[in-house]
Amino acid sequence: MKLEEKLLEQYFDVIEKNGNTENQIQEFLEENTIFIPMPFLLNHYLHMNCVISKFKLGNEFVTDFAYLTKSSDYWEFVLVELEDAKKKIFTNDKENIYFHSEFNHAYDQITSWKAYVNKNREAILHQIDKLRVPLNENSVRFKYVLVIGRNAEKNNSEKRRAMFAEKSDNDIRVMTYDSLVSQCESVPYNGEKIILSTWKEQGFKIKKLPKQEISTSLFAYLKPEYLQILERDIEILKKQDYQIDIWLSGRALSYNDKYDAASLAERTTNPLKKDVLLAEAKNNK
C-alpha cells in the first residue's frame, strides 16, 4: 500500500515536533489507523477490524492500544505501548554501546505488563470475553509491542542493529516509528480500523469510525447491551447499509455482517435464497 505524500508529511510532523506527547501521537494514529502497529497478525487478520484504545490492565496499567487476532486454533491478544519518538534508544557513547535509560524504562514497562498478565490472566480474558467470538473456547496467547525512537539511531552500526533486534522475541516486538511506515507497505491487510474504548464491565463503545466504508462483524456478535454507539455513528453506519435499527432491537446482523435474515431477503433477487431467508426469519421470531 503506497502512502500519500501529504499523509507521510503529517505523520513525520507529528512524531518529530517538539512538545508533542505520546497522547498526541496516539490521537494521530486513531485518526489514521493504518499506522497502528500490527506485527502479530494471524491468518484471520485483525478481529472484527477493531482496535481498543487505552485498554486497562486492572488498576495498575493502561495500554495505548490492544487488539485481537486469531487463527483456527488460538487467539492472540496484543498490547501496545507508544513511547515518544524522540526518546533515546542508545547512549551517545560510540565505543561502548549501551541502551539508554529512556529505552530501558520503556522496555521495563512491557515486562511489568507481562508479569501482571501472568498473574491476572483470567480477569483480563473476562474483560474481552464479548469480543472473543466465535471460537471463544480457543486458547489465548498474549503478545506485547513497544514503539520507541527512530531508525537512524539504531541503524548507524551493525552492533546497535543486532542489540535492538535481540530485544524482540516470540512474545515481544520492539519497533521504531519509521517501521510503522514500512508496515503500511508490507502488511497483507492494513486498511482503516474501528477504534473502540471500554464501557461498563465487559462492554465497549465505538470511539471512532474510519473515514471510509468499513467491514466489521461487531453487529453479528455483540448485543447492544455490550456495545454503545453514538447517534452520529449510527447514521454513518446506516449510510453503509448496516441495518442498525434491527440490531438495536436485539437481532444480530448475522448475514454479510450487515443484515438479519429478513432484511437480506428483501434485497436478494434469487427466489430460492429469498425463500430460505424468509423461513429462517420466521424461525427466529
Side-chain angles (χ1 to χ4, degrees):
M1 175 180 180
K2 187 69 175 173
L3 293 173
E4 294 179 6
E5 185 103 5
K6 184 178 179 181
L7 180 58
L8 273 175
E9 288 176 4
Q10 291 171 343
Y11 174 75
F12 285 116
D13 182 60
V14 167
I15 66 172
E16 292 172 355
K17 188 174 181 179
N18 288 330
N20 275 359
T21 64
E22 289 97 332
N23 283 336
Q24 287 167 305
I25 294 174
Q26 177 158 2
E27 286 172 10
F28 180 86
L29 266 56
E30 291 187 7
E31 289 286 347
N32 303 276
T33 59
I34 55 171
F35 290 108
I36 294 175
M38 296 269 143
F40 288 106
L41 286 183
L42 297 172
N43 58 327
H44 288 195
Y45 300 117
L46 178 62
H47 186 53
M48 294 185 179
N49 223 348
C50 292
V51 177
I52 308 166
S53 173
K54 299 296 184 182
F55 181 81
K56 291 183 178 179
L57 299 176
N59 296 318
E60 293 190 40
F61 305 107
V62 181
T63 69
D64 291 310
F65 292 116
Y67 60 88
L68 280 162
T69 181
K70 75 175 188 295
S71 68
S72 301
D73 301 315
Y74 59 90
W75 297 85
E76 287 183 349
F77 189 43
V78 185
L79 307 174
V80 180
E81 167 73 1
L82 302 175
E83 291 287 339
D84 193 328
K86 295 178 287 298
K87 283 189 175 178
K88 301 288 290 181
I89 299 174
F90 294 97
T91 64
N92 292 328
D93 191 332
K94 294 181 180 179
E95 294 185 8
N96 301 298
I97 298 175
Y98 300 105
F99 285 106
H100 196 279
S101 59
E102 290 179 339
F103 177 86
N104 287 331
H105 181 268
Y107 195 85
D108 287 346
Q109 172 92 315
I110 296 296
T111 56
S112 296
W113 288 3
K114 195 173 182 181
Y116 181 89
V117 167
N118 288 340
K119 288 185 178 180
N120 300 275
R121 179 184 179 84
E122 293 308 313
I124 298 167
L125 292 180
H126 179 73
Q127 290 176 257
I128 58 171
D129 185 62
K130 301 305 177 184
L131 285 179
R132 201 161 39 94
V133 288
L135 305 176
N136 61 328
E137 296 301 319
N138 284 3
S139 63
V140 181
R141 303 173 181 179
F142 285 83
K143 304 291 181 179
Y144 308 86
V145 180
L146 170 62
V147 185
I148 185 171
R150 303 295 302 276
N151 274 358
E153 192 184 349
K154 72 178 180 65
N155 286 348
N156 61 11
S157 84
E158 183 61 38
K159 185 174 180 180
R160 284 189 174 194
R161 280 196 295 272
M163 287 174 64
F164 187 84
E166 283 296 318
K167 287 293 184 177
S168 293
D169 57 28
N170 289 335
D171 294 328
I172 299 174
R173 189 68 50 83
V174 184
M175 307 173 71
T176 66
Y177 280 90
D178 299 276
S179 62
L180 300 192
V181 174
S182 27
Q183 161 194 266
C184 294
E185 300 173 351
S186 61
V187 171
Y189 167 77
N190 194 36
E192 295 283 0
K193 306 153 187 77
I194 295 172
I195 301 296
L196 300 177
S197 57
T198 54
W199 176 60
K200 297 183 176 179
E201 184 185 354
Q202 287 183 286
F204 299 88
K205 58 184 174 183
I206 294 179
K207 181 179 181 183
K208 193 175 294 294
L209 284 174
K211 298 165 188 173
Q212 74 233 29
E213 185 166 347
I214 192 72
S215 175
T216 180
S217 56
L218 269 174
F219 310 107
Y221 293 105
L222 268 71
K223 296 179 180 179
E225 55 262 43
Y226 293 110
L227 182 63
Q228 184 189 63
I229 316 178
L230 296 177
E231 192 62 39
R232 70 171 189 221
D233 293 330
I234 287 175
E235 294 308 311
I236 291 170
L237 289 162
K238 283 181 178 179
K239 288 178 182 177
Q240 296 180 19
D241 214 21
Y242 285 91
Q243 303 300 293
I244 294 299
D245 287 335
I246 290 172
W247 176 78
L248 288 168
S249 74
R251 300 206 302 273
L253 305 185
S254 302
Y255 293 85
N256 299 340
D257 296 332
K258 292 186 174 184
Y259 315 102
D260 71 337
S263 59
L264 185 57
E266 293 175 2
R267 287 159 174 75
T268 186
T269 56
N270 183 319
L272 181 59
K273 186 176 181 179
K274 183 184 290 285
D275 289 344
V276 170
L277 289 168
L278 290 173
E280 178 74 19
K282 186 176 180 180
N283 289 335
N284 288 339
K285 283 186 178 180

